[in-house]
């Protein structure tokens, strides 16, 4: 439902968003009214004191005012329940009701002020009565303050500019004047987003990289959000519907046909070897996060184990390691990797926009020099993630199309300069010249590790990279194919980050628009059912999401369509599920790095994977399997490094136990 237009401007709230706030306010008001009535009936005989007449009048008028408010809130809640997200016809009286409700705040404020003044005059009445009236005055002001906060939250800075387009269709937006106005709207949106980001990140400095990241992030947000007229609750309802729709489609799919021949033994052996390598090198990727992840993984004993390193003075062994801002991190790194001080060449926790922490260590077990790049852990890292426009990757290779994610490319270039210009790699290979170079990282660090490995491949042809849960929107299709021979990516379950790119976000927005426009249920029912489904599961078939002939008869016009949910419409924006999306030159389609191992949970271990030990299978997957964002309760938790480590531990131990069971071992292997 497009945002409501009140007082000549659009607000970030729809007419069907007032069911839950109205219910909450109604419960509070009814209980408050009952409490005041009880106070008045039980103690009215004690109001014959000095000033008691004023207090009695205050209570009577307050009960009458509350009764009017309760009736108005009840009407608002009932009207908000009508219709569907894209069928606002039954709710056309909502704006009048809201004007009445807002008007009632003025007598409420006046009466609350008078009550506070009368109580402050020191009325000489029964103490119980005075305390009760003080409580009513306090509750009055709490509700008024909550209302003011709510108005601030739903205030849309662009509402005055967007109001003319809330009911505009494509034909209206084709004019030259409208195009100019909409361009101005996008410019204003960029400015608003940049102001918001600067306020949110006010404590991270003002260098050139930070200013560029502010502008890039603001432009990304304005590009993504400025062309739709959806309020936040519409997006939440759309995500809930998409999850059920995806589960419904998966349940109705025909079982995959059994391939007549099993994967070759070389392919299975390759998968086993790479899984063992992933299991080993994930320890380094986790160590790069330092003490926060270690404490999170070991909440009871972690602080005791590494606490001494926080307070201990520098030792001779400590001085052997180059780096900066180590603080409490070194103890956690030693415990996570199992290495000694002398095995580390450099450890840096210097963290700025486009500049990531990393460590360099000698791994004697695998005879490798390991470079581990840290993933997202600060606002600076988030700005690096969100600098999503593309730039040409400066690398020596035969690939022509070398576009890559700008923020991650800049971060990888920073680590590259540190490794080469500061002589860190030269120092490592002077100690162990026969070792090979391995670069690892998780999340943002996985993407930076892939780009760094590509940059270093000319100087170190045997370089290998293990990218754990890397972002999908990393680089061009040509670089994706080029990296197949030396990069392995590992993805767990429905992890959203390996499916996340600007192109996939546009696809997600298109699917949300479609499922919201075709939904035949009120929003409050969608959200309640969606919450229940996320927490406890259920049958997705029990909640239809598409209009059929019978349903359309009960709907009241006007019925909005998908195009009505856009503020900027063009013929290039396709609503067909099979139509490819046109890409912006600044945000072309980007792809994940290397070959991809996909870990999937077998069976069910609870909605959030916390009820019992889970078992996993692994297979080689094609990048196309990650071309859509999947909605589910584990789409975020599957990205957490501790969950990924736990899955790898379980998988490697299960496969090791099944060495004597070839048939079972092969069943978990697939080659895409």
């Amino acid at each position: 439902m497009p945002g409501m237009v009140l007082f000549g401007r659009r607000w970030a709230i729809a007419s069907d968003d007032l069911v839950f706030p109205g219910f909450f306010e109604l419960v509070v008001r009814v209980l408050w009214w009952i409490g005041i009535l009880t106070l008045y009936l039980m103690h009215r005989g004690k109001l014959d004191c000095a000033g008691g007449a004023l207090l009695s009048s205050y209570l009577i008028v307050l009960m009458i005012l509350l009764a009017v408010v309760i009736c108005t809130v009840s009407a608002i809640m009932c009207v908000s329940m009508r219709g569907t997200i894209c069928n606002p016809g039954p709710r056309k009286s909502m704006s009048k009701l809201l004007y009445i409700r807002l008007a009632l705040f003025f007598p409420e404020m006046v009466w609350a002020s008078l009550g506070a003044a009368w109580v402050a005059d020191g009325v000489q009445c029964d103490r119980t009565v005075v305390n009760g009236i003080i409580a009513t005055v306090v509750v009055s002001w709490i509700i008024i303050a909550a209302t003011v906060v709510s108005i601030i939250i739903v205030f849309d800075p662009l509402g005055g500019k967007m109001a003319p387009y809330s009911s505009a269709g494509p034909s209206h937006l084709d004019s030259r004047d409208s195009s100019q106005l909409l361009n101005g709207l996008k410019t204003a949106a960029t400015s608003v987003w940049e102001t918001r980001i600067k306020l949110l990140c006010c404590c991270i400095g003002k260098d050139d990289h930070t200013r560029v990241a502010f502008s890039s992030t603001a432009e990304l947000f304005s590009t993504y959000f400025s062309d739709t007229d959806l309020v936040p609750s519409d997006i939440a309802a759309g995500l809930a519907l998409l999850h059920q729709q995806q589960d419904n489609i998966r349940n109705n799919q025909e079982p995959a046909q059994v391939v007549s021949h099993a994967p070759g033994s070389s392919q299975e052996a390759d998968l086993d070897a790479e899984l063992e390598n992933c299991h080993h090198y994930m320890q380094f990727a986790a160590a790069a996060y330092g003490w926060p992840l270690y404490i999170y993984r070991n909440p009871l004993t972690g602080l005791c184990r590494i606490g001494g390193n926080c307070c201990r003075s520098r030792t001779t062994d400590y001085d052997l390691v180059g780096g900066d801002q180590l603080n409490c991190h070194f103890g956690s790194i030693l415990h996570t990797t199992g290495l000694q001080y002398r095995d580390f060449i450099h450890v840096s926790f210097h963290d700025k926009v486009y500049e990531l922490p990393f460590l360099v260590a000698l791994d004697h077990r695998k005879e490798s020099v390991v470079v581990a790049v840290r993933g997202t852990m600060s606002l600076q890292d988030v700005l690096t993630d969100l600098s999503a426009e593309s730039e040409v990757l400066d690398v020596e290779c035969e690939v022509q199309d070398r576009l890559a994610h700008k923020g991650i490319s800049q971060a990888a270039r920073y680590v590259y300069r540190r490794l080469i210009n500061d002589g860190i790699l030269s120092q490592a290979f002077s100690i162990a010249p026969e070792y090979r170079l391995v670069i690892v990282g998780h999340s943002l660090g996985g993407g930076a590790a892939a780009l760094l490995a590509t940059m270093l491949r000319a100087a170190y042809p045997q370089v290998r990279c293990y990218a754990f849960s890397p972002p999908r929107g990393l680089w061009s299709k040509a670089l994706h194919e080029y990296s197949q021979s030396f990069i392995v990516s590992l993805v767990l379950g429905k992890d959203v980050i390996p499916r996340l790119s600007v192109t996939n976000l546009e696809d997600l927005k298109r699917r949300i628009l479609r499922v919201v426009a075709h939904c035949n249920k009120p929003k409050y029912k969608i959200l309640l059912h969606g919450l229940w489904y996320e927490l406890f599961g259920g049958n997705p078939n029990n909640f239809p999401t598409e209009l059929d002939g019978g349903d359309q008869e009960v709907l009241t016009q006007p019925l909005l369509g998908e195009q009505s949910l856009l503020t900027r419409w063009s013929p290039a924006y396709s609503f067909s599920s099979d139509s490819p999306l046109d890409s912006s030159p600044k945000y072309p389609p980007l792809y994940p790095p290397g070959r991809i191992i996909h870990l999937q949970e077998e069976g069910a271990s609870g909605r959030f994977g916390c009820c019992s030990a889970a078992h996993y299978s692994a297979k080689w997957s094609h990048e196309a399997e990650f071309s859509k964002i999947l909605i589910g309760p584990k789409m975020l938790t599957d990205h957490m490094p501790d969950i990924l480590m736990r899955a790898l531990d379980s998988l490697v131990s299960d496969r090791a136990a099944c060495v004597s069971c070839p048939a079972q071992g092969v069943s978990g292997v697939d080659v895409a």
Side-chain angles (χ1 to χ4, degrees):
M1 170 65 192
M4 282 192 298
V5 177
L6 297 171
F7 304 107
R9 66 180 301 118
R10 177 192 180 274
W11 297 78
I13 189 172
S15 59
D16 55 357
D17 282 341
L18 301 173
V19 176
F20 301 118
F23 178 77
F24 178 76
E25 183 179 0
L26 187 63
V27 170
V28 172
R29 296 277 184 179
V30 169
L31 293 176
W32 186 16
W33 188 85
I34 293 174
I36 295 174
L37 180 63
T38 303
L39 176 69
Y40 180 76
L41 293 177
M42 292 181 63
H43 300 281
R44 60 181 174 179
K46 301 178 181 179
L47 292 174
D48 54 355
C49 54
L54 289 176
L55 296 183
S56 178
S57 301
Y58 173 78
L59 292 177
I60 293 173
V61 173
L62 183 58
M63 284 190 290
I64 295 173
L65 189 59
L66 277 177
V68 176
V69 171
I70 287 170
C71 293
T72 306
V73 172
S74 300
I76 290 174
M77 191 174 71
C78 291
V79 171
S80 187
M81 289 179 174
R82 298 175 182 172
T84 65
I85 294 178
C86 285
N87 181 28
R91 302 189 297 272
K92 59 185 177 182
S93 60
M94 180 61 74
S95 58
K96 296 177 182 178
L97 289 172
L98 285 176
Y99 286 135
I100 294 173
R101 178 67 191 91
L102 290 172
L104 289 173
F105 273 108
F106 290 102
E108 275 195 286
M109 292 180 65
V110 171
W111 211 240
S113 300
L114 289 176
W118 290 335
V119 170
D121 283 342
V123 178
Q124 302 299 318
C125 288
D126 183 79
R127 196 62 196 169
T128 303
V129 177
V130 174
N131 290 339
I133 293 176
I134 291 175
T136 62
V137 172
V138 171
V139 172
S140 297
W141 282 110
I142 289 175
I143 291 180
I144 291 170
T147 303
V148 172
V149 172
S150 300
I151 292 173
I152 293 173
I153 291 174
V154 300
F155 177 78
D156 184 354
L158 300 174
K161 296 179 180 291
M162 294 185 67
Y165 304 103
S166 294
S167 59
S171 59
H172 176 75
L173 298 177
D174 283 340
S175 67
R176 179 179 177 183
D177 291 341
S178 295
S179 298
Q180 292 176 348
L181 288 173
L182 288 170
N183 287 333
L185 175 63
K186 184 176 179 181
T187 302
T190 303
S191 177
V192 168
W193 276 110
E194 187 164 355
T195 301
R196 290 171 174 170
I197 295 166
K198 286 180 179 178
L199 289 174
L200 181 64
C201 306
C202 59
C203 57
I204 67 173
K206 303 293 182 182
D207 57 27
D208 291 340
H209 282 171
T210 304
R211 284 190 287 270
V212 171
F214 284 160
S215 299
S216 298
T217 305
E219 187 165 357
L220 173 65
F221 283 158
S222 64
T223 299
Y224 187 71
F225 290 110
S226 65
D227 64 345
T228 56
D229 195 6
L230 294 174
V231 297
S233 61
D234 293 336
I235 298 174
L239 292 174
L241 291 171
L242 279 179
H243 183 203
Q244 297 165 63
Q245 186 183 73
Q246 288 172 356
D247 287 354
N248 188 23
I249 293 173
R250 187 182 69 245
N251 292 343
N252 293 331
Q253 281 179 341
E254 294 293 332
Q257 293 184 352
V258 178
V259 182
S260 58
H261 61 281
S265 58
S266 61
Q267 295 172 330
E268 181 187 352
D270 182 41
L271 180 61
D272 283 334
E274 295 297 3
L275 281 172
E276 199 280 328
N277 286 333
C278 288
H279 181 248
H280 176 78
Y281 288 116
M282 182 61 202
Q283 309 300 321
F284 291 88
Y289 282 98
W291 66 263
L293 178 60
Y294 186 80
I295 296 294
Y296 177 76
R297 292 180 60 212
N298 304 276
L300 299 179
T301 61
L303 188 60
C304 296
R305 292 178 181 177
I306 68 171
N309 293 83
C310 300
C311 308
R312 186 181 304 157
S313 59
R314 295 177 65 98
T315 64
T316 305
D317 287 338
Y318 192 98
D319 287 330
L320 294 176
V321 182
D324 46 58
Q325 301 184 22
L326 299 183
N327 300 327
C328 302
H329 294 297
F330 216 126
S332 66
I333 293 173
L334 294 174
H335 280 93
T336 302
T337 60
L339 301 182
Q340 304 297 320
Y341 280 102
R342 61 180 179 273
D343 297 325
F344 288 89
I345 305 300
H346 191 91
V347 179
S348 171
F349 277 87
H350 167 82
D351 188 14
K352 294 179 66 176
V353 176
Y354 303 154
E355 297 177 5
L356 297 179
F358 67 97
L359 62 88
V360 180
L362 299 178
D363 178 16
H364 302 296
R365 177 184 165 189
K366 291 286 186 178
E367 296 187 344
S368 57
V369 174
V370 180
V371 179
V373 186
R374 197 190 73 181
T376 303
M377 205 171 174
S378 66
L379 285 176
Q380 292 92 325
D381 300 334
V382 172
L383 290 174
T384 300
D385 286 318
L386 294 176
S387 298
E389 62 263 46
S390 298
E391 68 176 16
V392 177
L393 183 65
D394 183 14
V395 63
E396 298 179 14
C397 67
E398 61 274 13
V399 177
Q400 296 299 318
D401 181 9
R402 301 196 302 275
L403 288 179
H405 184 291
K406 175 185 173 181
I408 305 178
S409 174
Q410 294 283 340
R413 180 62 59 183
Y414 161 78
V415 179
Y416 175 86
R417 288 195 299 266
R418 292 289 306 275
L419 294 177
I420 300 302
N421 297 345
D422 294 356
I424 297 173
L425 283 185
S426 298
Q427 179 185 353
F429 282 105
S430 67
I431 299 173
E434 71 283 5
Y435 284 13
R436 70 171 181 173
L437 178 62
V438 177
I439 306 176
V440 303
H442 172 265
S443 187
L444 167 62
L451 288 166
L452 180 60
T454 306
M455 295 174 183
L456 290 169
R457 194 165 186 237
Y460 300 91
Q462 302 302 315
V463 64
R464 296 284 295 175
C465 174
Y466 292 92
F468 302 97
S469 307
R472 175 178 176 83
L474 183 65
W475 53 17
S476 65
K477 180 76 169 178
L479 283 171
H480 164 72
E481 294 172 350
Y482 170 75
S483 64
Q484 301 275 317
S485 61
F486 61 98
I487 297 178
V488 172
S489 294
L490 187 76
V491 178
L492 174 62
K494 289 186 176 181
D495 187 351
V496 66
I497 300 302
R499 296 173 170 86
L500 194 63
S501 67
V502 176
T503 305
N504 282 8
L505 282 173
E506 286 291 338
D507 172 73
L508 177 65
K509 179 169 66 177
R510 180 178 67 169
R511 289 188 285 148
I512 288 176
L513 289 173
R514 184 185 308 110
V515 75
V516 163
H518 293 173
C519 180
N520 59 6
K521 296 292 182 182
K523 188 190 296 182
Y524 78 96
K525 288 187 177 180
I526 298 172
L527 295 175
L528 285 175
H529 186 276
L531 179 62
W532 180 271
Y533 188 79
E534 294 297 331
L535 293 176
F536 307 108
N539 185 358
N541 294 323
N542 293 337
F543 201 75
T545 60
E546 298 294 328
L547 294 176
D548 54 36
D551 292 323
Q552 291 186 26
E553 295 176 0
V554 302
L555 294 176
T556 306
Q557 292 296 325
L559 179 65
L560 301 177
E562 295 165 81
Q563 295 176 0
S564 303
L565 298 174
L566 293 170
T567 61
R568 176 175 56 82
W569 183 88
S570 69
Y573 198 101
S574 170
F575 296 97
S576 169
S577 59
D578 299 323
S579 301
L581 291 171
D582 290 347
S583 300
S584 165
K586 184 169 286 190
Y587 305 109
L590 298 178
Y591 297 84
R595 295 184 297 162
I596 303 173
I597 299 176
H598 191 195
L599 306 186
Q600 292 179 294
E601 187 175 349
E602 295 180 330
S605 62
R607 300 292 285 173
F608 299 93
C610 57
C611 299
S612 61
H615 297 277
Y616 299 86
S617 62
K619 67 173 184 176
W620 291 111
S621 295
H622 192 271
E623 59 83 17
E625 296 184 35
F626 305 93
S627 60
K628 286 185 181 296
I629 295 174
L630 301 181
I631 310 301
K634 294 185 180 180
M635 62 186 293
L636 298 178
T637 57
D638 280 349
H639 186 69
M640 299 300 291
D642 61 309
I643 302 295
L644 183 56
M645 295 175 74
R646 195 183 308 158
L648 279 170
D649 290 341
S650 173
L651 179 65
V652 170
S653 62
D654 287 348
R655 293 175 76 89
C658 291
V659 170
S660 59
C661 309
Q664 186 175 348
V666 171
S667 64
V669 182
D670 188 17
V671 179

